[in-house]
Amino acid sequence: KNLRRDNTLLRRELQGGAAVQMLGKSEALSKVRGMLNRLAPVPTPVLFTGASGTGKELAARQLHQMSDRADHPFVAVNSPPLAEGLLESELFGHIRGAFTGAVRDRRGLFESADGGTILLDEVGDMLGLQHLLLRVLQEREITPVGSTRAVPIDVRVVAATNRDLRAEMEAGRFRD
């Protein structure tokens, strides 16, 4: 398994897509590497928490590269700069005529990541989209804005946040 993973990483480097690697030898970093090794083969969603600048996206990228999905897209979504309505269209896509300016059908980032991994960075800021994200996790499908047709997807969801989501859940602002 390790040889296959190393082979994949080396092939990607040769093709110009340099592999991401976490550098350092601390005990804490060794624990993170061990956790990534255990999580990589398991297709379950993952949540990384920690302060800004602690390497949550780097860990997500390395998790993707170590997984069976490494040959498929890794799509990172940074939600805070996007308005909620725009974020829904970016994530799930839209059909022509769904809103003013929607002049053609557009695939969303979940469809773009199909077969691979999507990182929802700062998922704690996506409060208004929780019900839609829950549907993705439970049903493994999305519905583009303005459509009634569900689109099946095969994507591993990795989320990251610097918020205390337990406190947000207890306050009733974030779903479990």
Side-chain angles (χ1 to χ4, degrees):
K1 178 176 150 186
N2 288 338
L3 286 173
R4 280 193 202 115
R5 184 191 69 225
D6 291 347
N7 189 325
T8 300
L9 293 174
L10 289 171
R11 278 190 196 161
R12 192 166 298 116
E13 281 186 66
L14 290 172
Q15 295 170 352
V20 173
Q21 190 170 7
M22 297 169 69
L23 303 175
K25 296 183 179 184
S26 71
E27 185 178 329
L29 196 51
S30 292
K31 287 181 181 178
V32 170
R33 282 191 193 105
M35 177 190 64
L36 293 175
N37 280 325
R38 287 189 307 276
L39 288 172
V42 183
T44 187
V46 175
L47 173 65
F48 291 110
T49 60
S52 294
T54 55
K56 296 181 295 289
E57 183 172 343
L58 181 62
R61 286 182 185 277
Q62 187 155 356
L63 178 67
H64 171 72
Q65 287 183 351
M66 296 167 66
S67 75
D68 293 341
R69 297 175 177 271
D71 291 333
H72 298 282
F74 176 87
V75 176
V77 180
N78 187 8
S79 69
L82 299 175
E84 202 168 276
L86 180 58
L87 182 58
E88 182 178 356
S89 176
E90 284 293 310
L91 290 175
F92 306 113
H94 61 260
I95 61 169
R96 190 177 116 213
F99 51 84
T100 303
V103 295
R104 62 178 176 81
D105 290 359
R106 184 170 184 276
R107 285 173 34 131
L109 295 173
F110 272 101
E111 278 189 270
S112 296
D114 197 39
T117 304
I118 190 165
L119 169 64
L120 302 176
D121 201 3
E122 298 308 335
V123 72
D125 294 336
M126 297 182 184
L127 300 178
L129 298 178
Q130 289 181 65
H131 64 290
L132 299 173
L133 295 174
L134 185 59
R135 180 162 187 82
V136 170
L137 293 173
Q138 289 178 336
E139 306 299 327
R140 306 194 61 74
E141 64 185 25
I142 57 159
T143 303
V145 175
S147 178
T148 57
R149 182 183 56 85
V151 177
I153 57 164
D154 173 25
V155 64
R156 182 180 200 173
V157 177
V158 178
T161 187
N162 60 9
R163 289 186 181 215
D164 181 352
L165 293 186
R166 288 205 195 287
E168 296 291 326
M169 286 186 290
E170 289 170 6
R173 291 184 294 267
F174 201 84
R175 294 181 184 199
D176 189 1

